[in-house]
């Protein structure tokens, strides 16, 4: 990706393909009143004009996806922690999944074979990767052991966290200054400053930290801030009567959680989000783990954020760089895809269930992620020790 030469805003101008087909499927019943005024930043009517039946089809697709993010549990492995929300271990499925996406722990030798004499860069998702999935998003804490491990990783490799949460929120959870952070699915990045790189992009602001370090703030969806705030307020209001619903403002995107909502209310929650978005053709919704994520329609995602950070780090088009991205949900697929298609590194999917992915390897849960990161650190330490010994013997 050459951000430098294009200087094109990632904001797309005409996001909604107009499909005129009418399939005549009736929509679900609304149990709430839509706000009279669509709000200052919305553009009423443009989605509605595509026909309500088309909306119904789209909505039904949403409902399927909402259900798909919550597959039924079958056989639970022993020793599961009851406080951890989603341990959907099905042993048979998991074993067949491992054939397609081998364990990164079992394949560690193979991985370091590729890493030898390369600069390894580490990209980490937060929820479900560094912290276990729990019922309350405010309580998704990472363990001290994981924090210590991530700190060691950052000592040896350039390391960034790329999360759907707001950048401030993910920093408050991780609390490590040694890393780079990208919040709101990569739409809010704090990265290193590099002259003559994508940092010259118009959406980049360079500034100097209090310790004197020059850094770059990149926010490609800045113009959406008031719109996102407005949508957040609306979604908060119209879901407040649904028990268990939770709406989070992540600055450049909004999360609507239904993990704690009774399944027979999922239609209502999906329908309300869907109806609000009819008034905002420049926003779309994606599916995470029992969460609908409302975000700007811009050509920017976690994959683009990886490319941006690699370029900022001076690691973009080198054959001697091996980026590794570890993540657990659909939004991480954009990053896996960038690495797979560019044949430049690989993704590791954190999952205990069978899934289709652009990743190459898998890890079952954050505990395995921590083991993998520790193996990487130990390997790097040994490499450095070997080089040190070789250097001394040559003196
Ligand atoms: O990109 P990520 O760092 O993985 O963030 C994705 C979403 O993570 C959070 O929600 C998820 O984790 C919660 C805590 O374990 C869980 O309760 C929820 O069901 C999951 O969807 C976060 O709250 C969302 O805003 C992020 O978009």
């Amino acid at each position: 990706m050459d951000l430098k030469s294009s200087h094109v805003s990632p904001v797309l101008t005409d996001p909604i393909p107009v499909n005129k087909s009418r399939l005549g499927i009736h929509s679900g019943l609304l149990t709430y009143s839509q706000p009279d005024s669509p709000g200052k930043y919305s553009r009423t009517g443009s989605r509605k004009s595509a026909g309500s039946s088309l909306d119904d089809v789209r909505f039904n697709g949403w409902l399927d996806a909402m259900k798909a993010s919550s597959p039924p549990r079958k056989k639970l492995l022993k020793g599961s922690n009851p406080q951890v929300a989603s341990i959907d271990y099905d042993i048979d499925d998991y074993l067949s999944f491992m054939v397609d996406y081998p364990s990164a722990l079992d394949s560690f030798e193979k991985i370091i074979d590729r890493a030898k004499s390369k600069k390894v860069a580490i990209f980490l998702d937060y929820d479900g990767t560094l912290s276990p999935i729990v019922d309350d998003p405010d309580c998704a804490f990472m363990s001290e052991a994981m924090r210590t491990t991530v700190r060691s990783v950052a000592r040896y490799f350039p390391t960034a966290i790329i999360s759907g949460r707001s950048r401030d929120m993910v920093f408050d959870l991780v609390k490590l200054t040694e890393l780079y952070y990208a919040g709101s699915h990569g739409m809010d990045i704090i990265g290193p400053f590099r002259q003559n790189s994508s940092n010259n992009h118009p959406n980049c602001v360079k500034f100097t930290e209090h310790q004197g370090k020059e850094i770059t703030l990149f926010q490609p969806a800045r113009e959406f801030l008031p719109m996102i705030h407005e949508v957040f307020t609306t979604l908060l209001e119209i879901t407040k009567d649904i028990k268990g619903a939770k709406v989070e403002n992540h600055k450049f995107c909004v999360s609507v959680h239904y993990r704690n909502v009774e399944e027979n209310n999922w239609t209502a929650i999906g329908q309300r989000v869907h109806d609000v978005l009819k008034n905002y053709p420049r926003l779309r919704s994606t599916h995470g783990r029992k969460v609908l994520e409302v975000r700007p329609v811009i050509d920017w995602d976690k994959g683009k954020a990886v490319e941006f950070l690699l370029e900022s780090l001076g690691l973009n088009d080198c054959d001697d760089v091996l980026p590794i991205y570890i993540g657990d949900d659909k939004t991480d697929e954009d990053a896996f895809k960038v690495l797979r298609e560019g044949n430049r590194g690989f993704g590791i999917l954190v999952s205990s269930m069978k899934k289709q992915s652009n990743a190459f390897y898998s890890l079952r849960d954050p505990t395995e992620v921590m083991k993998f990161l520790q193996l990487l650190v130990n390997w790097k330490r040994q490499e450095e020790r070997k080089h040190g010994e070789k250097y001394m013997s040559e003196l």
Side-chain angles (χ1 to χ4, degrees):
M1 180 187 56
D2 186 4
L3 291 168
K4 213 174 18 194
S5 57
S6 62
H7 274 211
V8 169
S9 162
V11 177
L12 299 179
T13 48
D14 188 14
I16 311 298
V18 180
N19 180 344
K20 297 237 162 59
S21 68
R22 289 175 184 257
L23 300 175
I25 296 171
H26 189 65
S27 67
L29 293 173
L30 291 184
T31 51
Y32 71 105
S33 338
Q34 277 249 50
D36 288 333
S37 146
K40 192 171 160 197
Y41 299 96
S42 62
R43 225 174 63 197
T44 334
S46 35
R47 277 195 188 192
K48 278 184 178 151
S49 66
S52 61
S53 49
L54 175 59
D55 290 330
D56 295 341
V57 174
R58 284 197 185 121
F59 174 68
N60 288 335
W62 278 32
L63 199 58
D64 288 345
M66 284 171 81
K67 287 186 176 154
S69 83
S70 169
R73 297 178 190 192
K74 287 193 241 158
K75 302 167 208 157
L76 294 186
L77 287 184
K78 280 187 186 147
S80 49
N81 177 354
Q83 298 202 315
V84 174
S86 84
I87 307 178
D88 299 308
Y89 294 154
D90 176 303
I91 295 171
D92 298 335
D93 274 357
Y94 185 63
L95 291 177
S96 82
F97 165 72
M98 296 257 284
V99 173
D100 295 333
Y101 307 95
S103 159
L105 292 175
D106 297 344
S107 313
F108 191 72
E109 290 302 317
K110 213 167 162 185
I111 291 171
I112 56 167
D113 235 35
R114 272 192 75 185
K116 269 178 197 147
S117 73
K118 290 195 176 186
K119 290 177 203 136
V120 175
I122 303 290
F123 298 94
L124 302 164
D125 165 58
Y126 182 76
D127 286 279
T129 297
L130 297 183
S131 68
I133 293 292
V134 292
D135 284 341
D136 181 357
D138 295 338
C139 295
F141 304 115
M142 67 195 274
S143 65
E144 260 322 304
M146 181 65 99
R147 185 168 292 108
T148 306
T149 303
V150 175
R151 185 184 285 116
S152 311
V153 170
R155 195 171 298 148
Y156 290 101
F157 313 102
T159 304
I161 307 250
I162 305 189
S163 172
R165 291 179 183 256
S166 72
R167 183 167 47 78
D168 288 349
M169 198 184 276
V170 78
F171 178 77
D172 285 348
L173 289 163
V174 177
K175 298 187 180 81
L176 292 172
T177 51
E178 297 88 337
L179 317 175
Y180 302 109
Y181 289 88
S184 313
H185 299 288
M187 288 180 282
D188 190 7
I189 304 181
I190 285 243
F193 180 79
R194 244 184 103 237
Q195 211 74 45
N196 303 322
S197 76
S198 55
N199 293 327
N200 300 329
H201 191 276
N203 287 310
C204 273
V205 182
K206 175 192 152 191
F207 65 96
T208 309
E209 263 192 330
H210 52 274
Q211 289 146 332
K213 199 165 98 188
E214 284 191 316
I215 49 176
T216 299
L217 177 66
F218 182 62
Q219 296 179 328
R222 240 190 130 65
E223 64 177 278
F224 287 86
L225 273 176
M227 191 190 284
I228 291 290
H229 184 73
E230 186 179 279
V231 160
F232 165 68
T233 314
T234 307
L235 290 171
L236 200 61
E237 182 58 30
I238 64 162
T239 54
K240 70 179 182 203
D241 64 319
I242 301 180
K243 195 164 167 259
K246 184 176 172 79
V247 184
E248 292 177 298
N249 186 347
H250 290 306
K251 197 166 178 176
F252 296 103
C253 52
V254 176
S255 295
V256 183
H257 291 275
Y258 55 95
R259 178 172 297 282
N260 302 318
V261 172
E262 288 284 339
E263 199 168 332
N264 55 12
N265 273 332
W266 289 7
T267 313
I269 209 163
Q271 184 74 61
R272 292 178 194 191
V273 172
H274 177 72
D275 285 345
V276 168
L277 287 189
K278 282 184 200 163
N279 294 321
Y280 293 91
R282 298 181 74 209
L283 299 180
R284 67 186 170 117
S285 158
T286 54
H287 296 265
R289 297 178 69 169
K290 293 189 190 164
V291 65
L292 294 171
E293 301 183 297
V294 174
R295 52 205 279 187
V297 179
I298 65 168
D299 186 18
W300 200 264
D301 52 36
K302 288 186 172 187
K304 291 272 180 359
V306 166
E307 290 181 310
F308 179 89
L309 280 162
L310 283 172
E311 188 178 334
S312 303
L313 288 159
L315 301 174
N316 58 334
D317 45 20
C318 321
D319 283 341
D320 64 340
V321 175
L322 185 76
I324 299 177
Y325 186 105
I326 312 181
D328 73 316
D329 82 21
K330 275 202 182 139
T331 61
D332 300 308
E333 289 297 327
D334 295 317
F336 296 155
K337 198 164 170 218
V338 157
L339 298 185
R340 182 183 276 270
E341 288 179 354
N343 195 24
R344 44 208 308 204
F346 52 82
I348 301 177
L349 174 67
V350 184
S351 180
S352 54
M353 295 180 307
K354 192 173 182 167
K355 279 186 191 170
Q356 277 302 316
S357 175
N358 278 300
F360 275 86
Y361 297 104
S362 68
L363 290 166
R364 192 158 57 188
D365 52 26
T367 307
E368 286 203 357
V369 171
M370 188 165 82
K371 281 188 195 150
F372 176 78
L373 294 175
Q374 285 166 347
L375 285 177
L376 268 182
V377 168
N378 291 341
W379 164 71
K380 190 69 184 174
R381 276 194 190 128
Q382 278 169 16
E383 287 289 291
E384 290 197 349
R385 207 171 300 137
K386 269 193 240 157
H387 281 124
E389 282 163 12
K390 189 165 169 255
Y391 175 74
M392 294 299 279
S393 69
E394 283 168 3
L395 282 180

